[in-house]
Amino acid sequence: MFNQLIALYTEGDLAQLSSRILHSTAWKQHDFTAYGSMQINKLWLKSLEQFGFLQVTKQQEIQGDNFSALYIELSKESTSNNENVSITFFFEHNNEHIKRLHCIVDTLALAKLLQQEPSVLIDALPTPDPLLLSQFDHQLHPKSYHATPNDVCDLPNSISETVNQWWNIWQEKQLASFKNIYSDSAKIQIAGFGSHEGFKQLRDFQLKVHNRMNRSYCQLENICVDKAESSLAVKWHIDGDYIDNGKIKRIRVPVISVLTIENKHIVEEQLQIDWLALYKQYDLSYPFV
Amino acid sequence: MSIKLNKSITQVHWQPLTALLEPAGAKQQALTGFDDEFVDIVDYIIRITHRIWEQKNVGLCYRYYSEICPVFTLGGYSECVEQVVQNTLKTIAAFPDRSLIGENVIWKEEADGTYYSSHLITSIMTNTGNSDFGLATNKTGRVTTIADCVCFENKIIKEWLVRDNSFLISQLGLDLIDAAIHFSALTPNDTFNEWYNSEYNRVLAAKHRTELSFTESSWTTESFVHAWAQTLFNQKQFSTLTQFYHVAAAHQWPGGRQSTGLAQISGTLIQWLAQCPDAKMTIDHIGVTGFDDDTIDIAIRWSVAGTFNPHIDRLSSLKGNRFFVLGCTHMRVKNQKIIKEVTVFDEISLYANMIRESGHSLPLLAQGV
């Protein structure tokens, strides 16, 4: 399935990927969910029109039993600069068909690659699904229950402690864990903010995201671990009150993180967010952080 | 888990449409009086739905619905196959490309020889014709429907139909309260009014203080579902969510309410119930089928009744009105905890019924509020 997903963006091979799609497959991209072959095909064609036919410059596969993930970076063949766009796929499958797929595109990088203003690309994105976010108590009370990675999947012992500490950074804002679990030379890609060595930019980003919102709350959705047990993809989101020109907007930021762990240290991480879809969904002012 | 997976009965989840429309296996259920071509009740529901809606053979309703077939919705009541045909045709005319994607069929063989099916459907449809929502918008929307049917001898003899209309209209660019005002102008028939009144009184009389619980060893689908309704909806004990939901459960409620995990689910239920703080819930039907070796699917039809306490300014004049909901829920349960829930009811009809009953004339958004 990984090859078929890649062949869509590099060759426009709709037929191969279509053979993996059911009548009831849901494909979520730019926070819009396409159902059935007609809507999904239209979404693919729109992507190809926007992206052009690109070449893969980096890929990482997370092969799980029922859920898998794929991270790819794509760039133009003819380009002389280093601009690229990354896409992360997280999908439920039975090795034959894809049932549900969530695809997050780094649309800020895409705008740069296409040399377009973000506002132009925002207009071209599909209208996101209606989302009605209920108010809730975001506090981590001593007797309340909040999902941790071990609740969501059986993590191998070799990575369990690292992944739980990684989640504490986001859920409990435990910034001291950065030092414990990241390799000094970790390669970190943050959607819209490029790649960095070491965790400092990621730590700054984490602080900015949480400080930009009041009552922020991180919720795990799903985790898939590669059979080699050294890499995993985490599907999660942040809810919070975003203050935009004096107006409070309750928002949800969907995220997929892909982590590679060696000797209990994170050596590589891709944090994927579709920023322009977020601006479109909540009519936010640019930039977010 | 009290239910074993019956692997011989059609399961929709991973099936390509071609396999669903041409089942290769032998007949798996008695299906007395049904056409020989149907191998089980799931096959019957999937194929007749496809033929009527996607192949547009509206007249097949005469073959697959009984002459007298009560169809209950929160927006109205119809009683005979002629009305089913007419309503189907009107919907197809307003949404000509409507697809009905069968997501799941949870079924039960009843003691009286009938089959009960609960069909979870996702529809994609473009509103190119005028409809009860108003003038054509030419926009495409998605909507979740649950159709609960009693089937007997090749025909549907009774149906409860719920559709997430508030989610649909927000994609069509329509305002929820405006749509409810338009709907309130439709006059339901006497049978609907009788049903609405009797159901409201029945549900309101529910004994909500009785404690219902279960233990891990005594867990049954029925005890779980009744405790879910009593503890959360009737007694509003939200810290007990952990007894019912997995900590990362996915929860879909009408109008685009998407929650994951206990904190968000708790928020959704509290916000929704706050508009009817004295709400009583009754469980009106339970069906359960196996999904895989350690997971089951439960279909629940339920009702909620109480007194309206509006949190939308435009509905403030309806305070104290009768609040009544016909709803359906599909839940996937693993290790005695809900991992996924889809709940469907029609919020437009909920508000429309209260507007009509109040006799108040509410202004549309364009008329200024």
Side-chain angles (χ1 to χ4, degrees), chain A residues 17 62 168 194:
Chain A
L17 191 52
I62 314 285
N168 286 344

Side-chain angles (χ1 to χ4, degrees), chain B residues 9-186:
Chain B
I9 305 296
T10 304
Q11 197 184 64
V12 177
H13 193 79
W14 287 113
Q15 291 293 321
L17 183 61
T18 47
L20 288 170
L21 297 181
E22 293 173 17
K27 205 176 186 75
Q28 297 298 330
Q29 288 177 310
L31 294 178
T32 307
F34 285 71
D35 290 344
D36 279 342
E37 62 171 324
F38 298 117
V39 298
D40 54 46
I41 192 64
V42 178
D43 172 38
Y44 169 80
I45 290 293
I46 291 290
R47 281 204 281 168
I48 71 164
T49 305
H50 183 83
R51 287 169 185 171
I52 293 169
W53 284 96
E54 299 208 305
Q55 293 187 278
K56 320 282 188 261
N57 291 313
V58 180
L60 281 178
C61 292
Y62 294 117
R63 182 176 184 85
Y64 297 125
Y65 279 81
S66 63
E67 190 61 38
I68 300 297
C69 177
V71 178
F72 300 94
T73 74
L74 199 52
Y77 169 82
S78 71
E79 192 164 68
C80 63
V81 66
E82 290 298 344
Q83 285 170 300
V84 174
V85 170
Q86 289 166 24
N87 290 339
T88 306
L89 190 64
K90 276 162 59 183
T91 307
I92 289 178
F95 298 90
D97 61 352
R98 183 178 184 189
S99 60
L100 271 85
I101 299 167
E103 301 267 12
N104 202 2
V105 178
I106 300 171
W107 56 273
K108 185 181 182 190
E109 213 165 338
E110 305 282 19
D112 62 1
T114 61
Y115 292 87
Y116 192 100
S117 74
S118 184
H119 189 188
L120 176 68
I121 300 160
T122 297
S123 284
I124 308 296
M125 49 199 202
T126 308
N127 177 211
T128 60
N130 299 340
S131 70
D132 289 340
F133 299 121
L135 298 174
T137 62
N138 292 303
K139 291 185 176 172
T140 302
R142 184 174 93 240
V143 68
T144 308
T145 302
I146 296 178
D148 275 22
C149 295
V150 178
C151 312
F152 183 66
E153 294 184 343
N154 214 42
K155 293 184 190 300
I156 294 168
I157 60 170
K158 201 172 191 181
E159 181 171 349
W160 293 262
L161 190 62
V162 292
R163 198 165 78 175
D164 184 0
N165 279 331
S166 55
F167 186 71
L168 175 64
I169 61 151
S170 60
Q171 295 160 85
L172 302 182
L174 303 172
D175 176 73
L176 171 62
I177 308 304
D178 278 4
I181 292 168
H182 284 303
F183 262 48
S184 69
L186 303 173

Side-chain angles (χ1 to χ4, degrees), chain B residues 213-270:
Chain B
S213 61
F214 54 84
T215 61
E216 200 174 319
S217 56
S218 68
W219 197 97
T220 63
T221 303
E222 285 71 21
S223 66
F224 179 76
V225 170
H226 284 286
W228 171 80
Q230 187 79 330
T231 315
L232 298 177
F233 292 85
N234 289 337
Q235 299 180 343
K236 286 88 176 168
Q237 297 191 61
F238 301 108
S239 76
T240 65
L241 272 168
T242 184
Q243 295 171 23
F244 300 99
Y245 290 90
H246 183 263
V247 285
H251 189 259
Q252 175 187 317
W253 265 52
R257 295 171 176 91
Q258 296 281 352
S259 309
T260 307
L262 303 178
Q264 292 175 14
I265 294 170
S266 172
T268 294
L269 296 182
I270 290 170

Side-chain angles (χ1 to χ4, degrees), chain A:
Chain A
M1 284 178 188
F2 298 129
N3 290 340
Q4 284 139 7
L5 286 166
I6 289 169
L8 174 71
Y9 294 93
T10 54
E11 298 166 32
D13 192 340
L14 272 71
Q16 271 204 69
L17 191 52
S18 292
S19 69
R20 302 294 197 175
I21 298 298
L22 295 163
H23 191 46
S24 57
T25 295
W27 181 294
K28 188 174 185 182
Q29 182 174 335
H30 307 307
D31 297 336
F32 162 74
T33 308
Y35 260 86
S37 57
M38 199 177 73
Q39 274 201 318
I40 292 174
N41 263 275
K42 185 168 164 42
L43 200 59
W44 291 345
L45 292 172
K46 186 73 183 169
S47 293
L48 287 172
E49 185 191 357
Q50 284 174 334
F51 290 37
F53 294 85
L54 303 173
Q55 62 177 1
V56 175
T57 51
K58 181 181 169 67
Q59 76 183 74
Q60 184 169 359
E61 299 168 0
I62 314 285
Q63 178 68 60
D65 289 334
N66 306 115
F67 294 91
S68 291
L70 172 69
Y71 171 84
I72 52 174
E73 288 178 9
L74 300 158
S75 66
K76 290 179 180 172
E77 281 184 46
S78 55
T79 190
S80 54
N81 61 28
N82 291 326
E83 300 293 357
N84 61 45
V85 57
S86 58
I87 311 176
T88 306
F89 305 87
F90 193 110
F91 53 101
E92 180 189 4
H93 64 88
N94 64 350
N95 290 313
E96 197 174 340
H97 291 106
I98 294 169
K99 183 69 179 180
R100 299 184 73 84
L101 180 145
H102 189 179
C103 157
I104 298 189
V105 181
D106 180 355
T107 40
L108 272 179
L110 180 63
K112 279 185 198 163
L113 180 73
L114 303 177
Q115 297 179 318
Q116 284 183 354
E117 285 298 315
S119 58
V120 175
L121 196 51
I122 288 172
D123 287 344
L125 298 179
T127 304
D129 297 337
L131 187 58
L132 187 54
L133 297 178
S134 297
Q135 296 292 334
F136 63 90
D137 187 350
H138 68 291
Q139 300 173 94
L140 307 177
H141 295 298
K143 291 283 186 184
S144 60
Y145 294 87
H146 308 272
T148 62
N150 278 321
D151 293 320
V152 178
C153 84
D154 293 326
L155 290 169
N157 286 337
S158 58
I159 61 170
S160 174
E161 190 187 330
T162 309
V163 176
N164 280 304
Q165 281 201 58
W166 172 84
W167 181 244
N168 286 344
I169 288 174
W170 291 99
Q171 171 70 280
E172 297 183 10
K173 288 98 173 167
Q174 172 51 323
L175 301 178
S177 292
F178 271 108
K179 236 176 156 178
N180 301 334
I181 61 167
Y182 280 88
S183 156
D184 290 343
S185 58
K187 290 176 192 162
I188 296 173
Q189 171 84 24
I190 307 170
F193 297 87
S195 59
H196 311 274
E197 188 173 299
F199 62 78
K200 286 183 180 158
Q201 281 82 2
L202 182 63
R203 188 173 62 188
D204 290 347
F205 174 79
Q206 196 271 12
L207 273 168
K208 279 181 186 162
V209 166
H210 278 301
N211 286 330
R212 197 71 181 79
M213 289 189 279
N214 291 332
R215 302 192 307 139
S216 63
Y217 180 83
C218 297
Q219 172 67 48
L220 279 173
E221 293 179 33
N222 209 338
I223 295 177
C224 67
V225 181
D226 189 65
K227 286 193 163 71
E229 300 189 346
S230 60
S231 57
L232 67 154
V234 185
K235 195 166 167 308
W236 58 288
H237 60 253
I238 312 171
D239 276 18
D241 293 338
Y242 181 83
I243 302 165
D244 192 20
N245 292 325
K247 195 174 173 190
I248 297 172
K249 294 176 177 174
R250 190 72 181 163
I251 66 166
R252 174 169 296 167
V253 186
V255 189
I256 299 176
S257 297
V258 178
L259 309 175
T260 305
I261 298 171
E262 285 176 12
N263 299 323
K264 298 187 184 295
H265 284 85
I266 295 169
V267 294
E268 197 165 351
E269 175 169 349
Q270 289 92 26
L271 187 146
Q272 197 76 329
I273 295 172
D274 189 337
W275 291 110
L276 299 189
L278 188 75
Y279 298 138
K280 182 152 188 160
Q281 171 79 276
Y282 302 101
D283 194 21
L284 301 181
S285 307
Y286 177 81
F288 184 86
V289 288

